[in-house]
């Protein structure tokens, strides 16, 4: 009986923590770090004013947890594209637009990419989901190398890491400049990826 009670209490605690975290993501995403108080978040989560401190020791800790959670949501959508898109050549361009669409649904991650929270803008580089994305891209490149559709003379790990950095840079540009300004260059971006990854066809000399 005690075991069941402990599990129930643990489950309730996890739900309370998640409610606070969800409220923090929404409030920080809308109003930013400086204009948001822990009391605001507790009220949004329908908990007492001090309950948030049971799970997060400070406003900063709550903010960083919210950043990690929201950015991870964006990256997981991109991860699903890498894993599921059957088109060997198409997934790299699809990855960018999947992430752009995801950012529009994740206001806190968008604030970071827009440079509105400069103190923690690099936090997105540290979240575990980004490591998962790097691994997925690297594995996808290795599969393509084995299939002969990607150059065999490149290091998949280094290129996978480079793709992540480039994609993040593109996301920042799209958020800060707007998709209307950047959309016309999507084909050029895809061309850069293809030029770097795909071996040119072997030319045979024309018969004389």
């Amino acid at each position: 009986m005690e075991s069941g009670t402990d599990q129930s209490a643990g489950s309730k605690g996890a739900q309370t923590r998640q409610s606070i975290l969800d409220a923090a993501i929404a409030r920080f995403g809308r109003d930013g770090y400086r204009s948001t108080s822990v009391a605001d978040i507790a009220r949004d989560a329908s908990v007492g004013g001090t309950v948030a401190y049971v799970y997060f020791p400070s406003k900063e800790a709550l903010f960083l947890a919210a950043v990690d959670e929201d950015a991870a949501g964006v990256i997981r959508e991109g991860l699903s594209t890498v894993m599921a898109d059957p088109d060997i050549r198409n997934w790299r361009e699809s990855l960018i637009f999947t992430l752009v669409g995801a950012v529009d649904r994740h206001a806190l991650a968008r604030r970071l990419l827009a440079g509105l929270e400069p103190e923690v803008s690099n936090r997105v580089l540290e979240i575990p989901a980004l490591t998962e994305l790097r691994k997925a891209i690297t594995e996808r490149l290795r599969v393509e190398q084995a299939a002969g559709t990607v150059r065999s003379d490149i290091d998949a790990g280094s290129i996978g890491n480079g793709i992540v950095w480039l994609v993040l840079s593109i996301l920042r540009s799209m958020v800060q400049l707007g998709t209307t300004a950047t959309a016309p260059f999507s084909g050029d971006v895809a061309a850069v990826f293809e030029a770097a990854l795909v071996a040119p066809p072997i030319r045979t000399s024309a018969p004389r």
Side-chain angles (χ1 to χ4, degrees):
M1 186 67 179
E2 289 183 2
S3 175
T5 301
D6 289 344
Q7 288 181 357
S8 177
S11 176
K12 184 177 180 180
Q15 290 175 2
T16 300
R17 183 185 187 279
Q18 190 61 50
S19 294
I20 294 168
L21 192 55
D22 290 343
I25 291 170
R27 177 69 76 153
F28 284 134
R30 185 175 69 245
D31 299 336
Y33 180 78
R34 295 184 182 277
S35 298
T36 298
S37 70
V38 176
D40 292 331
I41 293 167
R43 185 168 52 254
D44 292 347
S46 300
V47 300
T50 61
V51 173
Y53 292 108
V54 174
Y55 301 94
F56 305 95
S58 65
K59 175 183 170 181
E60 181 182 7
L62 177 53
F63 179 69
L64 293 178
V67 166
D68 286 353
E69 180 87 357
D70 203 42
V74 173
I75 291 169
R76 287 191 190 103
E77 291 194 37
L79 182 61
S80 67
T81 298
V82 176
M83 301 295 288
D85 194 329
D87 190 323
I88 288 178
R89 290 177 178 268
N90 185 60
W91 69 264
R92 292 178 282 275
E93 187 172 358
S94 295
L95 171 63
I96 295 172
F97 285 99
T98 297
L99 290 172
V100 169
V103 166
D104 284 340
R105 295 185 292 276
H106 292 265
L108 183 53
R110 186 178 180 86
R111 284 187 67 86
L112 263 67
L113 291 169
L116 299 178
E117 303 288 351
E119 295 85 356
V120 295
S121 59
N122 290 331
R123 181 73 177 190
V124 69
L125 302 176
E126 303 173 8
I127 64 173
L130 195 62
T131 299
E132 292 177 33
L133 182 60
R134 288 192 187 101
K135 289 180 179 178
I137 291 175
T138 298
E139 182 58 30
R140 185 73 191 250
L141 291 175
R142 286 173 178 156
V143 168
E144 293 177 353
Q145 284 178 320
T149 54
V150 161
R151 290 168 46 187
S152 60
D153 62 329
I154 61 174
D155 180 78
S158 295
I159 296 299
N161 193 44
I163 287 175
V164 169
W165 277 97
L166 288 172
V167 167
L168 286 175
S169 297
I170 292 168
L171 274 180
R172 286 181 187 268
S173 296
M174 285 185 161
V175 168
Q176 294 179 18
L177 298 177
T179 53
T180 300
T182 54
F185 300 99
S186 61
D188 297 333
V189 171
V192 170
F193 280 125
E194 293 306 303
L197 298 175
V198 180
I202 298 175
R203 295 182 180 177
T204 57
S205 56
R208 295 183 179 180

